[in-house]
Amino acid sequence: MIKKISRIKNIGSFWLFDWNEINPDNCRDSQGNIITNSRGNPKRIQHEFRKYNILFGENGSGKTMLVSIFKSLNNNNSKDLNKHWDKKNEDREIRIEYNASIIAFEENSGWDSAILEHRFIFFDRNFISNYVHSGVTGRGTKHEQNTGKMMVYLGDFYDYQKQLDRFRSFRDFLRERNAAFEKLEEQKYDLLFSSIVEISKDDIEDRQDMVETLNVENREEYKESLGNKEEELRKLEKAFKGQKKVENLSSLEPIKSPIIYSWFNLSLVNSLFGFTVEGTAIKILDKIQSKKDFIQRGVELIEKESLTNCPLCEQKIRNGDYIEIIKQYQQVFDKEFNNSQQQAKKWLEEYKKFLADILNISTSIVLVNNQQKFAEINQYLTAEKEFPVLDSIQEEQNIIREEIGIVQDKEKRILSYLESENLERIKQIAEKLLKFIDNYNCVVQETNKILEQYKRDLRRGKKQEEKEKLLQEIKQLKINLFIIDRQKELLRYFRSVKCYQKNQGSSSNLDKIFNMLRKRD
Amino acid sequence: MDKENLLQKVKEESKNQEIKNIIDVLGDMSLSDEDLLKSLEEKKFISFKPVVDYDQEDK
């Protein structure tokens, strides 16, 4: 225990303080006489420090400097020991009586003992600042408050305080490290959004599952879909601006080429080119083959039975009547041949027209008009199917032209036998054309249906709802692409949040331990 | 009561197993802050490694 501060030289306001000089050992009366006790012995004055002591004095008398001396002892340094204002060049000196020994401070060597190091606790302004008022500035006061850190110890507090300080120091270290960790990860996370206006952290916050599961292989699919949706939106917005133009859009026309109504029976072509007198005669003879026996039998009857009247018409039979029968047969042949020739000419004409139609269909005015109309419609809506375009290749056109040449040749020389090697190819080309027309008219029909529905929806405001839906879909696709392009970084952030929370949990446990330590203390 | 006893007493009195485990890891707290942090990290009480591998290990 410190008994007295025997001497203070050149410290603060103490120029030269000597405890014994100002604290006499004996009690004296007002006249200066030594007071004695009942036994006649001088009455001694107890002038050493006791368990409780009060220091008081005027401002500048040295109270704070005495505390500084204790702090100097506690810290084992001379930081707080300022020299006297007027004695800056002179040495300092302190002597303290501690139990039965002397602890001394010299200018050059400092304290000669560390026995009182860390043996003090100071409830001074610094203590209040560190443990009572620290941290956040309180409302209506200039002090900063953090009462959670206030600790008051009784007994041999130093070891306890040291342990608590160590514990608190580590707890704070962990908190700070975790806060810095969170801040750094947040900064990295913020950077992911810095160059994108349309997507915010809120958009990603509730899509953690998606961040975990989105497949990077779907990126191109999302990108293509996004392009289509954006194009659709652009068209829709254009339609809103030009509603009148949309109303005036014309429907497409189906192909009504005569080709559909006069589709030529290609199986006739060979017989057409093979039309000759001989071929026709054989056909006619075939036709009257069944009558041959009938005629021969009739002639025999007339000759052998010497019939005077015809058994069929009962008219009189005269000489030379046989010639008439032959003539009649000749007439029958001529008539049949003529009919066949006319029919052949007619079919040749139809076949030629059919071939010309095939050749001209690609430049048909319907196709040209529809192409233009479709381009106008396509400015506002996107048809589900691509508009068919007829790709008539040069080789096909050459074959058809050659075939037309053969037909014209046959028309000029109707009774000459001709052959065409193009028939199979003509059939293929015709089949291809038929399919095209079917498909074309189907698309025309669908497009017209969509166009009419589009006009109705635009009038009824349904397109506005569609636009809202489209905007949502576009946003979702953009989020998907954003996530895929930054999946690794986003996953890292979500992991970091989990780490931070986990660390917070452990930090809370340290708080609990700390509180338990304080209670035990 | 010495330093070791104070933490040990808390450990004995606590019913929270995680707290007991943390005190075991902290020991007498004679290690530096960095080393204590490392010890807690090794025992998975804390983590500053937000990587996929870590989470897999953690599971």
Side-chain angles (χ1 to χ4, degrees), chain A residues 372-505:
Chain A
Q372 197 179 345
K373 284 178 187 175
F374 188 78
E376 284 169 14
I377 291 170
N378 202 37
Q379 288 179 30
Y380 303 99
L381 59 93
T382 308
E384 287 175 17
K385 284 186 181 171
E386 221 169 279
F387 201 67
V389 177
L390 181 62
D391 52 341
S392 179
I393 54 176
Q394 193 62 40
E395 182 252 352
E396 290 173 346
Q397 291 182 352
N398 289 343
I399 288 172
I400 293 167
R401 284 197 186 97
E402 188 183 308
E403 187 74 352
I404 289 173
I406 295 171
V407 172
Q408 286 170 337
D409 196 15
K410 180 68 181 173
E411 281 178 329
K412 283 177 194 163
R413 299 184 289 128
I414 188 73
L415 295 178
S416 301
Y417 180 82
L418 291 177
E419 276 186 357
S420 169
E421 293 173 354
N422 298 325
L423 190 57
E424 278 311 306
R425 281 294 287 131
I426 297 284
K427 279 180 184 172
Q428 287 168 5
I429 294 167
E431 282 300 318
K432 181 182 153 189
L433 189 68
L434 259 187
K435 277 185 188 168
F436 167 77
I437 292 171
D438 279 350
N439 182 38
Y440 187 89
N441 284 348
C442 189
V443 173
V444 164
Q445 198 180 353
E446 276 180 33
T447 307
N448 287 344
K449 204 172 154 188
I450 291 170
L451 177 64
E452 288 313 308
Q453 185 65 42
Y454 193 93
K455 288 178 182 177
R456 276 197 298 277
D457 289 348
L458 200 60
R459 283 195 294 270
R460 291 172 187 169
K462 275 192 177 177
K463 286 289 163 194
Q464 192 58 42
E465 293 170 21
E466 217 171 276
K467 184 185 169 185
E468 296 301 323
K469 195 178 161 207
L470 209 49
L471 284 169
Q472 282 178 9
E473 288 170 348
I474 287 172
K475 178 82 183 274
Q476 184 58 57
L477 285 167
K478 282 183 177 175
I479 289 173
N480 289 358
L481 286 169
F482 177 87
I483 290 174
I484 283 178
D485 289 346
R486 298 162 181 79
Q487 201 163 22
K488 197 178 165 192
E489 292 84 353
L490 292 171
L491 281 174
R492 181 192 163 88
Y493 172 71
F494 291 132
R495 302 271 192 283
S496 82
V497 171
K498 281 184 187 170
C499 287
Y500 173 77
Q501 288 164 351
K502 187 188 181 89
N503 298 346
Q504 282 289 87

Side-chain angles (χ1 to χ4, degrees), chain A residues 250-275:
Chain A
S250 313
S251 300
L252 304 177
E253 288 175 50
I255 299 177
K256 288 179 184 170
S257 163
I259 207 169
I260 294 171
Y261 307 105
S262 59
W263 188 259
F264 192 76
N265 184 358
L266 291 169
S267 63
L268 295 173
V269 174
N270 278 337
S271 61
L272 264 182
F273 287 157
F275 179 82

Side-chain angles (χ1 to χ4, degrees), chain A residues 182-200:
Chain A
E182 187 202 21
K183 192 178 171 188
L184 184 67
E185 294 300 328
E186 280 289 343
Q187 282 172 349
K188 287 180 191 169
Y189 188 54
D190 287 346
L191 268 180
L192 297 178
F193 298 87
S194 61
S195 56
I196 291 194
V197 196
E198 295 156 302
I199 296 170
S200 71

